[in-house]
């Protein structure tokens, strides 16, 4: 991971994505580094590249991720970002004894989750009560360097996923597509984000 990241940084890549998996996608017996501890190590061993770390709500508490993310952001000098993943792979949840929800419920859980993470990054004595998570008078210190908070990336191709991205994400993450399809996706997300802005 270190060598690949250093090469990516040296040749000019802007962002490194560390996927969060607890079962290797190519086989359960294959080695797999933890995304969050790897991100912390890479944060201090790099100088320019953004460290984008995926998180799957339900497997890590949002307050823990807010604290760890703020710490990695400081360790990297403000180069941390989070990729909110609404967890499409139930075996990881089942293996760890966590609840694997239906599609739409996963996105509802992700919205509660990121609202708490952002709230803890920006507010002291933060309280939140949602369907899946709640916190009361919570504060983390120090806060992240990046303001107002580290960027939130979010992908998703369903209407529910795209609507959540329009509400809570700073960057909509698109999987590899032919350029003509990407233009349509960007236009669609622009419309969804504009509709959210009008409500706010």
């Amino acid at each position: 991971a270190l060598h690949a990241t250093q090469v990516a940084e040296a040749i000019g890549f802007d962002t490194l994505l560390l996927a969060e998996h607890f079962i290797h996608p190519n086989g359960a017996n294959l080695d797999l580094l933890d995304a969050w501890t790897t991100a912390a190590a890479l944060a201090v061993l790099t100088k320019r590249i953004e460290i984008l770390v995926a998180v799957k709500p339900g497997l890590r508490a949002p307050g823990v991720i807010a604290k760890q993310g703020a710490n990695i952001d400081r360790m990297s000098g403000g180069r941390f970002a989070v990729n909110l993943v609404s967890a499409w792979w139930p075996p990881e949840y089942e293996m760890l004894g966590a609840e694997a929800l239906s599609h739409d419920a996963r996105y509802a859980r992700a919205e509660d989750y990121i609202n708490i993470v952002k709230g803890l990054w920006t507010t002291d004595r933060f309280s939140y009560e949602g369907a899946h998570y709640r916190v009361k008078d919570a504060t983390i210190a120090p806060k992240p360097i990046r303001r107002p908070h580290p960027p939130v990336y979010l992908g998703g191709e369903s209407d529910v996923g795209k609507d959540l991205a329009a509400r809570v994400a700073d960057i909509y993450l698109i999987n590899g597509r032919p350029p003509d399809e990407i233009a349509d996706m960007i236009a669609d997300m622009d419309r969804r984000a504009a509709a959210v802005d009008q409500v706010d």
Side-chain angles (χ1 to χ4, degrees), residues 127-165:
S127 294
Y128 180 93
E129 186 160 341
H132 299 276
Y133 297 101
R134 54 199 58 81
V135 295
K136 183 177 180 182
D137 293 332
T139 299
I140 63 161
K143 303 284 190 218
I145 293 172
R146 282 177 111 168
R147 297 286 188 257
H149 54 72
V152 174
Y153 288 66
L154 195 150
E157 297 187 15
S158 67
D159 283 332
V160 171
K162 290 176 183 177
D163 287 343
L164 178 60

Side-chain angles (χ1 to χ4, degrees), residues 16-97:
L16 168 75
L17 169 61
L18 295 167
E20 180 171 64
H21 289 294
F22 292 87
I23 300 172
H24 197 292
N26 295 327
N29 295 327
L30 295 175
D31 288 346
L32 184 65
L33 296 176
D34 170 67
W36 285 77
T37 52
T38 301
L42 294 175
V44 297
L45 296 171
T46 55
K47 295 185 176 17
R48 187 193 56 78
I49 199 164
E50 180 181 66
I51 308 293
L52 172 59
V53 191
V55 66
K56 294 177 179 175
L59 298 177
R60 300 180 195 256
V64 171
I65 287 304
K67 182 66 173 174
Q68 288 179 332
N71 201 48
I72 295 169
D73 191 62
R74 288 191 161 266
M75 292 166 69
S76 69
R79 293 181 289 116
F80 168 78
V82 65
N83 179 28
L84 182 64
V85 179
S86 293
W88 53 272
W89 201 11
E92 289 187 313
Y93 279 72
E94 293 161 3
M95 176 185 82
L96 296 173

